[in-house]
Amino acid sequence: MAYSNKVVDHFEHPRNVGSLDKAAVNVGTGIVGAPECGDVMKLQIQVDDANNIVDAKFKTFGCGSAIASSSLATEWIKGRKLDEALEIKNTDIVKELALPPVKIHCSVLAEDAIRAAVADVTAKRDAKVEAS
Amino acid sequence: MSSQDISVPVKCLDCRCELETPIVCTGCHKLYPLSMDMDYFSLFQIPRRYRIDVGELRHKFLSISRNVHPDFFGAASDDMKDLSVHLSAELNEALRVLIDPVMRAGYLLELSGGTSASQDRSVPQDVLMDAMELREQLEESSPDPVVLASIKEAVDRRRNALLAAIGDAAEKLDDGAEATQVQLRQLINSVKYFDNLLADLPAG
């Protein structure tokens, strides 16, 4: 199976690799995994007070498609509002990266990671509002 | 399904020897095709449960394989040759699954009905967080042998705990409780992360 040029590009030059402060109230962290291959993906977002995603980072230990999917996901969510980030569907990632059927689960992982990160930061903020 | 459900030995249709396995007569080498109700445990006539005697399994595999081996059937009819090839392949696959603790647990889960671990795909969040943390430590500290050793120890500890829990859950499958199946699926999915970590640790 050959990877598309876009996958290779993201794999060789991944965007936004790294970590944000997991403890910060304005940072949401999503950690998801695909047990069939043992891949694990961490996607983090930092939001401002108006719910804009001002930064996004990821770390993925897995195959090229999983790395490319999460790299692309961070590119796409940066600058979006939280609810707009949730509009990204795994099928968009499949299309953009021309993923073959056996690698579709990598794009599902990236979508799950976005959802988990958004849910995390939303829950943190709700908790903060309640506490104050 | 009972964990002690071993089929009653029947006699060979040709030589009337008692059969040690439902697929071949060790007396006259008559082969019998697989039937739908045979599982891998019944091929070896061992109890259908997680805690098995691996020495006994190996011993039975060798003695049965010897009797169904295609080399034995060079002069036999084409049907018998084909059957011997087919049964040998089946025996190899049965050994491969039963000898591996995680695969054996997954197989018992499959026999108990319901969703398989690979269909379920769920992994507890703490397992993912541990796996990610160990991965990050590994990434940051690669050349340091002391840190590597401590990472390996942490991975081994987590993996051994999972294997023990898999054994306990697999032995409880006979209860028929769905909670046991759910738990076993998650444990089987979880162990994969630590297998991969071990595989990615530098040797030595």
Side-chain angles (χ1 to χ4, degrees), chain A residues 89-121:
Chain A
K89 294 282 172 280
N90 85 288
T91 44
D92 304 330
I93 297 171
V94 169
K95 221 170 150 186
E96 174 69 17
L97 296 175
L99 293 179
V102 291
K103 293 294 181 183
I104 286 173
H105 69 270
C106 300
S107 67
V108 175
L109 218 50
E111 184 188 321
D112 288 349
I114 296 173
R115 290 181 182 282
V118 170
D120 184 48
V121 77

Side-chain angles (χ1 to χ4, degrees), chain A residues 33-37 39 42, chain B residues 121 125 136 139 192-193 196:
Chain A
E36 57 268 59
C37 46
D39 287 1
K42 179 175 81 174
Chain B
R121 302 182 77 240
Q125 188 66 25
E136 288 181 326
E139 186 187 52
K192 178 89 187 155
Y193 287 92
N196 280 15

Side-chain angles (χ1 to χ4, degrees), chain A residues 19 22 31 33-39 41-42 59 61, chain B residues 121 123 125 128-129 132 135-136 139-140 189 192-193 196:
Chain A
S19 294
K22 206 175 155 186
I31 299 180
E36 57 268 59
C37 46
D39 287 1
M41 180 183 288
K42 179 175 81 174
K59 258 189 194 180
F61 298 95
Chain B
R121 302 182 77 240
V123 180
Q125 188 66 25
L128 291 175
M129 283 166 69
M132 178 52 80
R135 284 274 171 199
E136 288 181 326
E139 186 187 52
E140 284 154 19
N189 284 337
K192 178 89 187 155
Y193 287 92
N196 280 15

